[in-house]
Amino acid sequence: QSALTQPASVSGSPGQSITISCTGTSSDVGFYNYVSWYQQHPAKAPKLMIYGVIDRPSGVSNRFSGSKSGNTASLTISGLQPEDEADYYCCSFTTSNTYVFGTGTKVTVL
Amino acid sequence: EVQLVESGGGLVQPGGSLGLSCAASGFIFSNYWMSWIRQAPGKGLEWVANINQDGGARSYVDSVKGRFSISRDNAKNSLYLHLNSLRAEDTAVYYCTTNTGDSWGQGTMVTVSS
């Protein structure tokens, strides 16, 4: 049950697009289409941004999109805005019937 | 409006026990798998355990197996996590969530220290 691997930090200027990767194994990310992404602002509970690899919950901006190729999932934020500055975590269901989170990525809006 | 409210956190000595509760409202609690997720101070999220709708299926992260126990009472719309043999590394904010991840409580802090 090793954590999924994410870059520690990603930055971009307002209006730009950034992509956060989430690398797992054939026992988690690569096996199921059950990858979700969470946004967490300081001292706040996480917020679901993407589920089922590509689906957005109601109310989440369409600037957020998800994808997956093999054992790596990705979250893309288009038209970066100051309020997007936060920590982001991926999460995947595993073949052990458990879940595993990513190591987390700090997004900075320059 | 969906609400999840955790309680029961606090300071406990290593080797001690603690019981966390989560009161759910605003949705049909008995229809949902539920999870506990924790976050150590300054660290990332860690999935801890989940339980199915009738309590007959439970899963745990390896680091808490045999020490933590998840349960629920659908009549009381409540989720529980009993923590035994606590270690310093169990210090974290513990969140109650729907398994779908779209609803979270505000968290309750557990500190394991002598």
Side-chain angles (χ1 to χ4, degrees), chain B residues 19-38:
Chain B
L20 306 183
S21 299
C22 171
S25 61
F27 65 105
I28 303 175
F29 179 73
S30 59
N31 284 357
Y32 286 79
W33 282 74
M34 296 294 295
S35 295
W36 287 97
I37 291 165
R38 68 183 179 182

Side-chain angles (χ1 to χ4, degrees), chain B residues 43-108:
Chain B
K43 302 297 185 181
L45 300 170
E46 180 180 37
W47 178 86
V48 175
N50 69 358
I51 187 168
N52 75 336
Q53 291 89 336
D54 66 6
R58 310 170 195 206
S59 294
Y60 300 90
V61 67
D62 283 349
S63 59
V64 309
K65 278 182 184 175
R67 299 189 302 121
F68 291 9
S69 178
I70 188 172
S71 61
R72 65 190 297 159
D73 185 335
N74 288 339
K76 294 183 177 179
N77 288 337
S78 292
L79 178 72
Y80 306 101
L81 185 68
H82 196 72
L83 297 69
N84 291 318
S85 303
L86 281 161
R87 306 166 180 167
E89 54 265 35
D90 296 319
T91 294
V93 173
Y94 284 74
Y95 293 101
C96 161
T97 80
T98 54
N99 215 53
T100 49
D102 54 354
S103 299
W104 293 62
Q106 83 291 346
T108 187

Side-chain angles (χ1 to χ4, degrees), chain A residues 40-80:
Chain A
Q40 187 179 33
H41 287 109
K44 297 289 189 182
K47 175 186 176 184
L48 181 66
M49 305 302 284
I50 295 287
Y51 66 97
V53 177
I54 61 171
D55 292 317
R56 272 187 313 276
S58 174
V60 171
S61 171
N62 59 10
R63 297 186 299 103
F64 292 83
S65 61
S67 63
K68 191 185 88 166
S69 177
N71 296 339
T72 298
S74 299
L75 174 71
T76 297
I77 309 174
S78 305
L80 199 62

